[in-house]
Structure formats: structure tokens, C-alpha cells
Amino acid sequence: MAGPVETPIGTVTPEHFRPGHVRHQVVVGPKFLYALFNPRDRMHAVSRAFMTFVRDGELPYRRLIVNDHIVDEAATRLKKQASMQNAATFLRTLDESTLYQVEYVPESVFDDATARFVDWTDLDASLTDFVVAAHMDALEVDHILTYDRHYDAFDLTTLPYGSRD
């Protein structure tokens, strides 16, 4: 059983990531992945704590979902802001892991997301964020590991900081 983990933002426990009701899958957002694969990121310890809790069976997640847009954003950010080695490690992990599952965004979901992106001008979110939210709706997954607070606007449960339903 994993104990509490001290991080720059305070003590993190499995309860910070536990869903309100049992979930076996969760989408992993690009900033969460960036922090996980960049040891210099201030949120690295929080992302690592999550992975430790999953590995030790403290959390119910058995499938970490990413899509092609999430992979692109995380890999590009790692390459530009951390190192090519960090980006390559991330991509290799996705390829070799049985925990991560890459889901490709269907054209219809992308079209819906771009229409919402153009119409919803008062939300400061990227096109990738709109695509991720629309894809999550299509996949019927409503929990996302992220450090972006604007995912709350899409009526998604954000972990580790989101409110519970």
C-alpha cells in the first residue's frame, strides 16, 4: 500500500485521484503527461504519485486513454520545453505499455469540436482541449487527469483537483 507522497504543492494521497464512483478508465491530458515525463516540471511529483497509486492497486484505473491530439501536444511540448530524450521516452512508453491506450479521434468528432471551438469564443481553451472534450463525450469517459482548470467548463471531472459529482 502506497503512503502519502510529499510534492511541491503539498501531500498527495490516493484520495486526490479517486473517482466519485468506480471508474476503470480515465483520459490523461497533455499537461499531466508533460509533467509525468519531465522530471524538472513542478507537477512531476504529483503525476508520479498517481502512477505509483495505480501501480500499487490503490486506484481502480486499468486503462489510461490518450488520443492522437493529446500525444501530439505532449510530445511536442516535451521536445521543445524539456528534451528530445523526454519526448522519445514518452512515445516509447505509449508504444510498449499495456496501461496506455491510444484512441484516434474520428473525423466527425473533430468536425464537431472545431465548430464548438469557433462558436465558443469566451472560453480560453485550445483547439486540442475542445477535441479532447468532444472525444471524451464520444467515448463516454468523463474523468480526465489534467492541471488545466478550463476542462471544468466542458462538464468533465478533472483529477486531481476537480469537484466530485
Side-chain angles (χ1 to χ4, degrees):
M1 178 182 276
V5 176
E6 292 301 320
T7 74
I9 63 165
T11 303
V12 177
T13 68
E15 294 306 312
H16 287 94
F17 300 97
R18 193 172 311 283
H21 40 90
V22 176
R23 299 264 188 237
H24 295 285
Q25 58 188 10
V26 64
V27 169
V28 186
K31 287 185 181 169
F32 192 93
L33 290 165
Y34 173 81
L36 179 61
F37 286 90
N38 179 8
R40 295 187 315 257
D41 188 84
R42 71 179 192 90
M43 300 303 283
H44 177 74
V46 178
S47 293
R48 292 288 306 159
F50 170 80
M51 295 306 292
T52 299
F53 299 145
V54 168
R55 181 196 67 216
D56 293 348
E58 294 288 324
L59 294 171
Y61 307 112
R62 299 298 172 259
R63 188 170 92 133
L64 305 181
I65 301 170
V66 297
N67 66 31
D68 39 336
H69 295 263
I70 291 169
V71 172
D72 174 53
E73 184 173 317
T76 300
R77 183 172 290 176
L78 284 164
K79 179 182 177 182
K80 290 183 176 186
Q81 297 177 6
S83 73
M84 188 61 219
Q85 181 179 351
N86 294 100
T89 299
F90 164 62
L91 294 171
R92 191 170 39 259
T93 299
L94 289 182
D95 187 47
E96 297 171 357
S97 174
T98 58
L99 185 60
Y100 290 99
Q101 180 169 336
V102 179
E103 296 279 349
Y104 292 90
V105 176
E107 185 177 352
S108 61
V109 171
F110 181 79
D111 291 345
D112 290 346
T114 56
R116 286 185 77 192
F117 176 76
V118 170
D119 292 341
W120 197 352
T121 58
D122 61 337
L123 180 61
D124 185 29
S126 69
L127 176 59
T128 297
D129 298 330
F130 277 85
V131 171
V132 169
H135 195 209
M136 289 178 66
D137 185 51
L139 294 173
E140 297 181 349
V141 176
D142 59 3
H143 285 66
I144 183 169
L145 294 165
T146 185
Y147 302 121
D148 286 335
R149 297 295 301 165
H150 59 260
Y151 278 104
D152 291 336
F154 296 109
D155 199 26
L156 299 171
T157 301
T158 58
L159 301 172
Y161 303 112
S163 58
R164 303 265 163 88
D165 41 2

